[in-house]
Coordinates of all heavy atoms in Angstrom, one line a residue:
K121 N 70.4 75.4 97.8 CA 70.1 74.4 96.9 C 71.2 73.3 96.9 O 70.9 72.1 96.9 CB 69.9 74.9 95.5 CG 68.6 75.7 95.3 CD 68.5 76.2 93.9 CE 67.3 77.1 93.8 NZ 67.0 77.5 92.4
A122 N 72.5 73.7 96.9 CA 73.6 72.8 96.9 C 73.6 72.0 98.1 O 73.9 70.7 98.1 CB 74.9 73.5 96.7
I123 N 73.3 72.5 99.3 CA 73.3 71.7 100.5 C 72.2 70.7 100.5 O 72.4 69.6 100.8 CB 73.1 72.7 101.7 CG1 74.2 73.7 101.8 CG2 73.0 71.9 103.0 CD1 75.6 73.1 102.2
A124 N 71.0 71.1 100.0 CA 69.9 70.2 99.9 C 70.3 69.0 99.0 O 69.9 67.8 99.2 CB 68.6 70.9 99.5
A125 N 70.9 69.3 97.8 CA 71.3 68.3 96.9 C 72.3 67.3 97.6 O 72.2 66.1 97.4 CB 72.0 68.9 95.7
C126 N 73.3 67.8 98.4 CA 74.2 66.9 99.1 C 73.4 66.1 100.1 O 73.8 64.9 100.2 CB 75.2 67.8 99.8 SG 76.4 68.5 98.7
E127 N 72.5 66.6 100.8 CA 71.7 65.9 101.7 C 71.0 64.7 101.1 O 70.9 63.6 101.5 CB 70.7 66.8 102.5 CG 71.3 67.7 103.5 CD 70.3 68.6 104.1 OE1 69.5 69.3 103.4 OE2 70.1 68.5 105.3
R128 N 70.4 65.0 99.9 CA 69.7 63.9 99.2 C 70.6 62.9 98.8 O 70.3 61.6 98.8 CB 69.0 64.5 97.9 CG 67.7 65.3 98.3 CD 66.9 65.6 97.1 NE 67.5 66.5 96.2 CZ 67.6 67.9 96.3 NH1 67.0 68.4 97.3 NH2 68.2 68.6 95.4
V129 N 71.8 63.2 98.3 CA 72.8 62.2 97.9 C 73.1 61.3 99.1 O 73.1 60.1 99.0 CB 74.1 62.8 97.3 CG1 75.2 61.8 97.2 CG2 73.8 63.5 96.0
C130 N 73.4 61.9 100.2 CA 73.7 61.1 101.5 C 72.5 60.2 101.9 O 72.7 59.0 102.1 CB 74.0 62.1 102.6 SG 75.6 62.9 102.5
Q131 N 71.3 60.8 101.8 CA 70.1 60.0 102.2 C 69.9 58.8 101.2 O 69.6 57.7 101.6 CB 68.9 60.9 102.2 CG 68.9 61.9 103.3 CD 67.9 63.0 103.2 OE1 67.2 63.1 102.2 NE2 67.8 63.8 104.3
D132 N 70.2 59.1 99.9 CA 70.0 58.0 98.9 C 71.0 56.9 99.1 O 70.8 55.7 98.8 CB 70.2 58.5 97.5 CG 69.0 59.4 97.1 OD1 68.0 59.4 97.7 OD2 69.2 60.2 96.1
K133 N 72.1 57.2 99.8 CA 73.2 56.2 100.0 C 73.1 55.7 101.5 O 74.0 55.0 102.0 CB 74.5 56.8 99.8 CG 74.8 57.1 98.3 CD 76.2 57.7 98.1 CE 76.4 58.0 96.6 NZ 77.8 58.3 96.4
N134 N 72.0 56.0 102.2 CA 71.8 55.6 103.6 C 72.9 56.1 104.5 O 73.3 55.4 105.4 CB 71.6 54.1 103.7 CG 70.3 53.7 103.1 OD1 69.3 54.4 103.2 ND2 70.3 52.5 102.4
L135 N 73.4 57.3 104.2 CA 74.5 57.9 105.0 C 73.8 58.9 105.9 O 72.9 59.7 105.5 CB 75.5 58.6 104.1 CG 76.3 57.7 103.2 CD1 77.2 58.6 102.3 CD2 77.1 56.7 103.9
R136 N 74.2 58.9 107.2 CA 73.7 59.9 108.1 C 74.3 61.3 107.7 O 75.5 61.4 107.4 CB 74.2 59.6 109.5 CG 73.4 58.5 110.1 CD 73.8 58.3 111.6 NE 75.1 58.7 111.9 CZ 75.7 58.5 113.0 NH1 75.1 57.9 114.0 NH2 77.0 58.9 113.2
C137 N 73.5 62.3 107.8 CA 74.0 63.6 107.6 C 73.1 64.5 108.4 O 72.0 64.3 108.7 CB 74.0 64.0 106.2 SG 72.5 64.4 105.4
K138 N 73.7 65.6 108.9 CA 73.0 66.6 109.8 C 73.6 67.9 109.5 O 74.8 68.1 109.6 CB 73.2 66.1 111.3 CG 72.5 67.1 112.2 CD 72.8 66.7 113.6 CE 72.2 67.7 114.6 NZ 72.4 67.3 116.0
K139 N 72.7 68.9 109.2 CA 73.1 70.2 109.1 C 73.4 70.8 110.5 O 72.7 70.6 111.4 CB 72.0 71.1 108.5 CG 72.0 71.0 107.0 CD 71.1 72.1 106.4 CE 69.7 71.7 106.3 NZ 68.8 72.7 105.7
L140 N 74.5 71.5 110.6 CA 74.9 72.1 111.8 C 74.5 73.6 111.8 O 74.7 74.3 110.8 CB 76.4 72.0 112.0 CG 77.0 70.7 112.1 CD1 78.5 70.7 112.2 CD2 76.5 69.9 113.2
T141 N 73.9 74.0 112.8 CA 73.6 75.4 113.0 C 74.7 76.2 113.6 O 75.2 75.8 114.6 CB 72.4 75.6 113.9 OG1 71.3 74.8 113.4 CG2 71.9 77.0 114.0
T142 N 75.3 77.1 112.8 CA 76.5 77.8 113.3 C 76.3 79.3 113.1 O 75.4 79.7 112.3 CB 77.7 77.4 112.5 OG1 77.6 77.7 111.2 CG2 78.0 75.9 112.7
S143 N 77.0 80.1 113.8 CA 76.9 81.5 113.7 C 77.8 82.1 112.6 O 77.6 83.2 112.1 CB 77.3 82.2 115.0 OG 78.6 81.8 115.3
H144 N 78.8 81.3 112.1 CA 79.7 81.8 111.1 C 80.5 80.6 110.5 O 80.4 79.5 111.0 CB 80.7 82.8 111.7 CG 81.4 82.4 112.9 ND1 80.8 82.4 114.1 CD2 82.6 81.9 113.1 CE1 81.6 82.0 115.1 NE2 82.7 81.7 114.4
A145 N 81.2 80.9 109.5 CA 82.0 79.9 108.8 C 83.1 79.4 109.7 O 83.7 80.1 110.5 CB 82.6 80.5 107.5
F146 N 83.4 78.1 109.5 CA 84.5 77.5 110.2 C 85.4 76.8 109.2 O 84.9 76.4 108.1 CB 84.1 76.5 111.2 CG 83.4 77.1 112.4 CD1 82.0 77.1 112.4 CD2 84.1 77.6 113.5 CE1 81.4 77.7 113.5 CE2 83.5 78.1 114.6 CZ 82.1 78.2 114.6
H147 N 86.7 76.6 109.4 CA 87.6 75.9 108.5 C 87.4 76.4 107.1 O 87.2 75.7 106.2 CB 87.3 74.4 108.6 CG 87.3 73.9 110.0 ND1 88.4 73.9 110.8 CD2 86.3 73.4 110.8 CE1 88.2 73.5 112.0 NE2 86.9 73.1 112.0
S148 N 87.6 77.7 107.0 CA 87.3 78.4 105.7 C 88.1 79.7 105.6 O 88.2 80.3 106.7 CB 85.8 78.6 105.6 OG 85.5 79.7 104.7
P149 N 88.4 80.1 104.5 CA 89.1 81.4 104.3 C 88.2 82.5 104.8 O 88.6 83.7 105.1 CB 89.4 81.5 102.8 CG 89.5 80.2 102.3 CD 88.5 79.4 103.2
L150 N 86.9 82.3 105.0 CA 86.0 83.3 105.5 C 86.3 83.7 106.9 O 85.8 84.7 107.4 CB 84.5 82.8 105.4 CG 84.0 82.6 104.0 CD1 82.6 81.9 104.0 CD2 84.0 83.9 103.2
M151 N 87.1 82.9 107.6 CA 87.5 83.2 108.9 C 88.7 84.2 109.0 O 89.1 84.7 110.1 CB 87.9 81.9 109.7 CG 86.8 81.0 109.9 SD 85.5 81.6 110.9 CE 86.2 81.6 112.5
E152 N 89.3 84.5 107.8 CA 90.5 85.4 107.8 C 90.3 86.7 108.6 O 91.3 87.1 109.2 CB 90.8 85.7 106.3 CG 92.1 86.5 106.1 CD 93.3 85.6 106.5 OE1 93.4 84.4 106.2 OE2 94.2 86.2 107.2
P153 N 89.2 87.4 108.6 CA 89.1 88.6 109.3 C 89.4 88.5 110.8 O 89.8 89.5 111.4 CB 87.6 89.1 109.1 CG 87.2 88.4 107.8 CD 87.9 87.1 107.8
I154 N 89.3 87.3 111.4 CA 89.6 87.2 112.8 C 90.9 86.4 113.1 O 91.3 86.2 114.2 CB 88.5 86.6 113.6 CG1 88.3 85.1 113.2 CG2 87.2 87.4 113.5 CD1 87.6 84.3 114.3
A155 N 91.6 86.0 112.0 CA 92.7 85.2 112.2 C 93.9 85.8 113.1 O 94.4 85.1 113.9 CB 93.3 84.8 110.8
Q156 N 94.2 87.0 112.8 CA 95.3 87.6 113.6 C 94.9 87.7 115.1 O 95.7 87.3 116.0 CB 95.6 89.0 113.1 CG 96.9 89.6 113.8 CD 98.1 88.7 113.6 OE1 98.3 88.0 112.6 NE2 98.9 88.6 114.7
E157 N 93.7 88.0 115.4 CA 93.3 88.1 116.8 C 93.3 86.7 117.4 O 93.7 86.4 118.6 CB 91.9 88.7 117.0 CG 91.4 88.8 118.4 CD 90.0 89.4 118.5 OE1 89.4 89.8 117.4 OE2 89.5 89.5 119.6
F158 N 92.8 85.7 116.6 CA 92.8 84.3 117.1 C 94.2 83.8 117.3 O 94.5 83.2 118.3 CB 92.1 83.5 116.0 CG 91.9 82.1 116.4 CD1 90.9 81.6 117.2 CD2 92.9 81.1 116.0 CE1 90.8 80.3 117.6 CE2 92.7 79.8 116.3 CZ 91.7 79.4 117.1
R159 N 95.2 84.2 116.4 CA 96.5 83.7 116.6 C 97.1 84.3 117.9 O 97.8 83.5 118.6 CB 97.4 84.2 115.4 CG 98.9 83.8 115.5 CD 99.7 84.3 114.4 NE 99.5 83.4 113.2 CZ 98.7 83.6 112.1 NH1 98.2 84.8 112.0 NH2 98.6 82.8 111.1
V160 N 96.9 85.5 118.2 CA 97.4 86.1 119.5 C 96.9 85.3 120.7 O 97.6 85.0 121.6 CB 97.0 87.6 119.5 CG1 97.3 88.1 121.0 CG2 97.8 88.4 118.5
I161 N 95.6 85.0 120.7 CA 95.0 84.3 121.8 C 95.6 82.8 121.8 O 96.0 82.3 122.9 CB 93.5 84.2 121.7 CG1 92.9 85.6 121.8 CG2 92.9 83.2 122.7 CD1 91.5 85.8 121.5
A162 N 95.7 82.2 120.7 CA 96.2 80.8 120.6 C 97.7 80.7 121.0 O 98.1 79.8 121.6 CB 96.0 80.2 119.2
E163 N 98.5 81.8 120.7 CA 99.9 81.9 121.2 C 100.0 82.0 122.7 O 101.1 81.7 123.2 CB 100.6 83.0 120.5 CG 100.9 82.8 119.0 CD 101.9 81.7 118.7 OE1 102.7 81.3 119.6 OE2 102.0 81.2 117.6
A164 N 99.0 82.5 123.4 CA 99.1 82.7 124.8 C 98.9 81.4 125.6 O 99.1 81.4 126.8 CB 98.0 83.8 125.2
I165 N 98.5 80.4 124.9 CA 98.2 79.1 125.6 C 99.5 78.3 125.9 O 100.4 78.3 125.0 CB 97.2 78.2 124.8 CG1 95.9 79.0 124.6 CG2 97.0 76.8 125.3 CD1 94.9 78.4 123.7
D166 N 99.6 77.7 127.0 CA 100.7 76.9 127.4 C 100.5 75.5 126.9 O 99.8 74.7 127.6 CB 100.9 77.0 128.9 CG 102.2 76.1 129.3 OD1 103.1 75.9 128.5 OD2 102.2 75.7 130.5
Y167 N 100.9 75.1 125.7 CA 100.7 73.8 125.2 C 101.7 72.8 125.8 O 102.8 73.1 126.0 CB 100.9 73.8 123.6 CG 99.9 74.7 123.0 CD1 100.2 76.0 122.6 CD2 98.6 74.3 122.7 CE1 99.3 76.8 121.9 CE2 97.7 75.1 122.1 CZ 98.0 76.3 121.7 OH 97.1 77.2 121.1
R168 N 101.2 71.6 126.0 CA 102.0 70.5 126.6 C 102.0 69.3 125.6 O 101.1 69.2 124.8 CB 101.3 70.0 127.9 CG 101.1 71.2 128.9 CD 101.8 71.0 130.2 NE 101.8 72.2 131.0 CZ 101.0 72.4 132.0 NH1 100.3 71.4 132.5 NH2 101.1 73.5 132.7
P169 N 103.1 68.5 125.7 CA 103.1 67.4 124.8 C 101.9 66.4 125.0 O 101.5 66.2 126.1 CB 104.5 66.7 125.3 CG 105.3 67.7 125.9 CD 104.2 68.6 126.6
A170 N 101.5 65.9 123.9 CA 100.4 64.9 123.9 C 100.8 63.6 124.6 O 102.0 63.2 124.4 CB 99.9 64.6 122.5
K171 N 99.9 63.0 125.3 CA 100.2 61.7 125.9 C 99.9 60.5 125.0 O 100.3 59.4 125.2 CB 99.4 61.5 127.2 CG 99.9 62.6 128.2 CD 99.2 62.4 129.6 CE 99.7 63.4 130.5 NZ 99.3 63.2 131.9
I172 N 99.1 60.8 123.9 CA 98.8 59.8 122.9 C 99.1 60.5 121.5 O 99.1 61.7 121.5 CB 97.4 59.3 123.0 CG1 96.4 60.5 122.8 CG2 97.1 58.6 124.3 CD1 95.0 60.0 122.6
P173 N 99.4 59.7 120.5 CA 99.6 60.3 119.2 C 98.4 61.1 118.8 O 97.2 60.7 118.9 CB 99.8 59.1 118.3 CG 100.2 58.0 119.2 CD 99.5 58.2 120.5
V174 N 98.6 62.3 118.2 CA 97.6 63.1 117.7 C 97.8 63.3 116.2 O 98.9 63.7 115.8 CB 97.5 64.5 118.4 CG1 96.5 65.4 117.8 CG2 97.3 64.3 119.9
I175 N 96.8 63.0 115.4 CA 96.9 63.2 113.9 C 96.2 64.5 113.6 O 95.0 64.8 113.9 CB 96.2 62.1 113.2 CG1 96.8 60.7 113.6 CG2 96.4 62.3 111.7 CD1 98.3 60.6 113.4
S176 N 96.9 65.4 112.9 CA 96.4 66.7 112.4 C 95.3 66.4 111.4 O 95.4 65.7 110.5 CB 97.4 67.5 111.8 OG 96.9 68.7 111.2
N177 N 94.1 67.2 111.6 CA 93.0 67.1 110.7 C 93.3 68.0 109.4 O 92.5 68.0 108.5 CB 91.7 67.5 111.3 CG 91.2 66.5 112.2 OD1 91.4 65.3 112.1 ND2 90.4 66.9 113.2
V178 N 94.4 68.7 109.5 CA 94.8 69.6 108.3 C 95.8 68.9 107.5 O 95.7 68.8 106.3 CB 95.3 70.9 108.8 CG1 95.8 71.8 107.6 CG2 94.1 71.7 109.5
T179 N 96.9 68.3 108.1 CA 98.0 67.8 107.4 C 97.8 66.2 107.2 O 98.5 65.6 106.4 CB 99.4 68.1 108.0 OG1 99.4 67.5 109.3 CG2 99.6 69.6 108.1
V180 N 97.0 65.6 108.1 CA 96.8 64.2 108.1 C 98.1 63.4 108.5 O 98.3 62.3 108.0 CB 96.2 63.7 106.8 CG1 95.6 62.2 107.0 CG2 95.0 64.5 106.4
V181 N 99.0 64.1 109.3 CA 100.2 63.4 109.8 C 100.2 63.6 111.3 O 99.6 64.5 111.8 CB 101.5 63.9 109.1 CG1 101.5 63.5 107.6 CG2 101.7 65.4 109.3
E182 N 101.0 62.8 112.0 CA 101.1 62.9 113.4 C 101.8 64.3 113.8 O 102.8 64.7 113.2 CB 102.0 61.8 114.0 CG 102.0 61.8 115.5 CD 102.8 60.6 116.1 OE1 103.0 59.6 115.4 OE2 103.1 60.7 117.3
I183 N 101.2 64.9 114.8 CA 101.8 66.1 115.3 C 102.8 65.8 116.3 O 102.6 65.1 117.2 CB 100.6 67.0 115.9 CG1 99.6 67.3 114.9 CG2 101.2 68.2 116.5 CD1 98.3 67.9 115.5
K184 N 104.0 66.4 116.1 CA 105.1 66.2 117.0 C 105.1 67.4 118.0 O 104.5 68.4 117.9 CB 106.4 66.3 116.2 CG 106.5 65.2 115.1 CD 106.5 63.8 115.7 CE 106.7 62.8 114.6 NZ 106.4 61.5 115.0
D185 N 105.8 67.1 119.1 CA 106.0 68.2 120.2 C 106.4 69.5 119.6 O 107.3 69.5 118.7 CB 106.9 67.8 121.3 CG 106.4 66.6 122.1 OD1 105.2 66.3 122.1 OD2 107.2 66.0 122.8
G186 N 105.8 70.6 120.0 CA 106.2 71.9 119.6 C 105.5 72.3 118.3 O 105.7 73.5 117.9
Q187 N 104.7 71.5 117.6 CA 104.1 71.9 116.4 C 102.7 72.5 116.6 O 102.1 73.1 115.7 CB 103.9 70.7 115.4 CG 105.2 70.2 114.9 CD 105.0 69.0 114.0 OE1 104.2 68.1 114.2 NE2 105.7 69.0 112.8
I188 N 102.2 72.4 117.8 CA 100.9 73.0 118.2 C 101.2 74.4 118.7 O 101.8 74.6 119.7 CB 100.1 72.2 119.2 CG1 99.7 70.8 118.6 CG2 98.8 72.9 119.6 CD1 98.7 70.8 117.5
N189 N 100.7 75.4 118.0 CA 100.9 76.8 118.4 C 99.9 77.6 117.7 O 98.9 77.1 117.0 CB 102.4 77.3 118.0 CG 102.7 77.0 116.5 OD1 101.8 77.2 115.7 ND2 103.9 76.7 116.3
G190 N 100.0 78.9 117.8 CA 99.0 79.8 117.2 C 98.9 79.7 115.7 O 97.8 79.7 115.1
D191 N 100.1 79.5 115.0 CA 100.1 79.3 113.6 C 99.3 78.0 113.2 O 98.5 78.0 112.2 CB 101.5 79.2 113.0 CG 102.2 80.6 113.0 OD1 101.5 81.6 112.9 OD2 103.4 80.6 113.0
Y192 N 99.5 76.9 113.9 CA 98.9 75.7 113.6 C 97.4 75.9 113.7 O 96.6 75.5 112.8 CB 99.3 74.6 114.6 CG 98.4 73.4 114.5 CD1 98.6 72.4 113.5 CD2 97.3 73.2 115.3 CE1 97.8 71.3 113.3 CE2 96.4 72.1 115.1 CZ 96.7 71.2 114.1 OH 95.8 70.1 114.0
W193 N 96.9 76.5 114.8 CA 95.4 76.7 115.0 C 94.9 77.7 114.0 O 93.7 77.5 113.5 CB 95.1 77.1 116.4 CG 95.3 76.0 117.4 CD1 96.1 75.8 118.4 CD2 94.5 74.7 117.3 NE1 96.0 74.6 119.0 CE2 95.0 73.9 118.3 CE3 93.5 74.3 116.5 CZ2 94.5 72.6 118.6 CZ3 93.0 73.0 116.7 CH2 93.5 72.2 117.8
C194 N 95.6 78.6 113.5 CA 95.1 79.5 112.4 C 95.0 78.7 111.1 O 94.0 78.9 110.4 CB 96.0 80.7 112.3 SG 95.7 82.0 113.5
R195 N 95.9 77.9 110.8 CA 95.8 77.0 109.6 C 94.6 76.2 109.7 O 93.9 76.0 108.8 CB 97.1 76.2 109.4 CG 98.2 77.0 108.8 CD 99.4 76.1 108.4 NE 99.7 75.0 109.3 CZ 100.6 75.2 110.4 NH1 101.2 76.3 110.6 NH2 100.9 74.2 111.2
H196 N 94.4 75.6 110.9 CA 93.3 74.7 111.2 C 92.0 75.4 111.0 O 91.0 74.9 110.4 CB 93.4 74.1 112.6 CG 92.5 72.9 112.8 ND1 91.2 73.0 113.1 CD2 92.8 71.6 112.9 CE1 90.7 71.8 113.3 NE2 91.7 70.9 113.1
M197 N 91.9 76.7 111.4 CA 90.7 77.5 111.3 C 90.4 77.9 109.8 O 89.3 77.9 109.4 CB 90.9 78.7 112.1 CG 89.8 79.7 112.1 SD 90.0 81.2 113.1 CE 91.4 82.0 112.3
L198 N 91.5 78.1 109.1 CA 91.3 78.6 107.7 C 91.3 77.6 106.6 O 90.8 77.9 105.5 CB 92.5 79.6 107.4 CG 92.5 80.9 108.3 CD1 93.8 81.6 108.1 CD2 91.4 81.8 108.0
Q199 N 91.7 76.4 106.9 CA 91.8 75.4 105.9 C 90.8 74.3 106.0 O 90.2 74.1 107.1 CB 93.2 74.7 105.9 CG 94.3 75.7 105.5 CD 95.7 75.1 105.6 OE1 95.8 73.9 106.0 NE2 96.7 75.8 105.2
T200 N 90.6 73.5 104.9 CA 89.7 72.4 105.0 C 90.2 71.4 106.0 O 91.4 71.0 106.0 CB 89.6 71.8 103.6 OG1 89.1 72.8 102.7 CG2 88.7 70.6 103.5
V201 N 89.3 70.8 106.8 CA 89.7 69.8 107.7 C 89.5 68.4 107.0 O 88.4 68.2 106.4 CB 88.8 69.9 109.0 CG1 89.0 68.7 109.9 CG2 89.1 71.1 109.7
E202 N 90.5 67.6 107.1 CA 90.5 66.3 106.4 C 90.2 65.2 107.5 O 91.0 64.3 107.7 CB 91.8 66.0 105.7 CG 92.2 67.1 104.8 CD 91.3 67.1 103.5 OE1 90.5 66.1 103.3 OE2 91.4 68.1 102.7
F203 N 89.1 65.3 108.2 CA 88.8 64.4 109.4 C 88.8 63.0 108.9 O 89.5 62.1 109.6 CB 87.5 64.8 110.0 CG 87.2 63.9 111.2 CD1 87.8 64.1 112.4 CD2 86.2 62.9 111.1 CE1 87.5 63.3 113.5 CE2 85.9 62.1 112.1 CZ 86.5 62.3 113.3
Y204 N 88.1 62.6 107.9 CA 88.0 61.2 107.4 C 89.4 60.6 107.1 O 89.7 59.5 107.5 CB 87.1 61.1 106.3 CG 86.9 59.7 105.8 CD1 86.2 58.8 106.5 CD2 87.6 59.3 104.6 CE1 86.1 57.5 106.1 CE2 87.5 58.0 104.2 CZ 86.7 57.1 104.9 OH 86.6 55.8 104.5
Q205 N 90.2 61.4 106.4 CA 91.5 60.9 106.0 C 92.4 60.7 107.2 O 93.2 59.8 107.2 CB 92.2 61.9 105.0 CG 91.6 62.0 103.6 CD 90.4 62.8 103.6 OE1 89.8 63.3 104.6 NE2 89.9 63.1 102.4
G206 N 92.2 61.5 108.2 CA 93.0 61.3 109.5 C 92.6 60.1 110.2 O 93.4 59.6 111.1
L207 N 91.5 59.5 109.9 CA 91.1 58.3 110.6 C 91.8 57.0 110.0 O 91.8 56.0 110.7 CB 89.6 58.1 110.6 CG 88.8 59.1 111.3 CD1 87.3 58.9 111.1 CD2 89.1 59.1 112.8
N208 N 92.3 57.2 108.8 CA 92.8 56.0 108.1 C 94.2 55.7 108.5 O 95.0 56.4 108.9 CB 92.7 56.1 106.6 CG 91.3 56.1 106.2 OD1 90.5 55.3 106.7 ND2 90.9 57.0 105.3

């Protein structure tokens, strides 16, 4: 019911909205059961410095070299993503 109410509010304001079909929660504490396994995999990646500025969708600040790692991606997976704020 809450999702349908949000959709109606968006439609009333002529805002596009689309329900995403997913298999599980994303960007939520509901991902906690897989966080440790995810962190291990994310730590195995060889991250390289960005060639353009990258703004974190979690902290809404520019990511500096060395800040992308397994911990970063776990926070990203478990916390609310502030995509809109990162565009400003």
Side-chain angles (χ1 to χ4, degrees):
K121 292 180 184 183
I123 300 292
C126 288
E127 286 179 302
R128 283 191 297 278
V129 168
C130 289
Q131 291 165 351
D132 290 346
K133 295 182 177 188
N134 292 322
L135 299 173
R136 287 186 328 191
C137 75
K138 178 181 177 182
K139 277 195 271 187
L140 300 177
T141 302
T142 63
S143 59
H144 52 281
F146 291 96
H147 308 296
S148 157
L150 295 173
M151 297 296 289
E152 187 65 44
I154 68 155
Q156 187 56 38
E157 180 180 358
F158 183 84
R159 178 179 281 106
V160 169
I161 293 167
E163 286 291 344
I165 296 171
D166 182 24
Y167 297 99
R168 305 237 169 109
K171 294 184 180 189
I172 61 171
V174 177
I175 306 300
S176 169
N177 285 332
V178 173
T179 63
V180 194
V181 297
E182 185 176 345
I183 299 170
K184 304 294 182 193
D185 290 346
Q187 291 181 318
I188 298 291
N189 54 35
D191 287 335
Y192 171 82
W193 285 117
C194 279
R195 284 192 313 275
H196 197 279
M197 176 180 68
L198 296 169
Q199 295 178 355
T200 301
V201 172
E202 304 291 349
F203 180 76
Y204 179 76
Q205 289 81 348
L207 295 175
N208 293 321

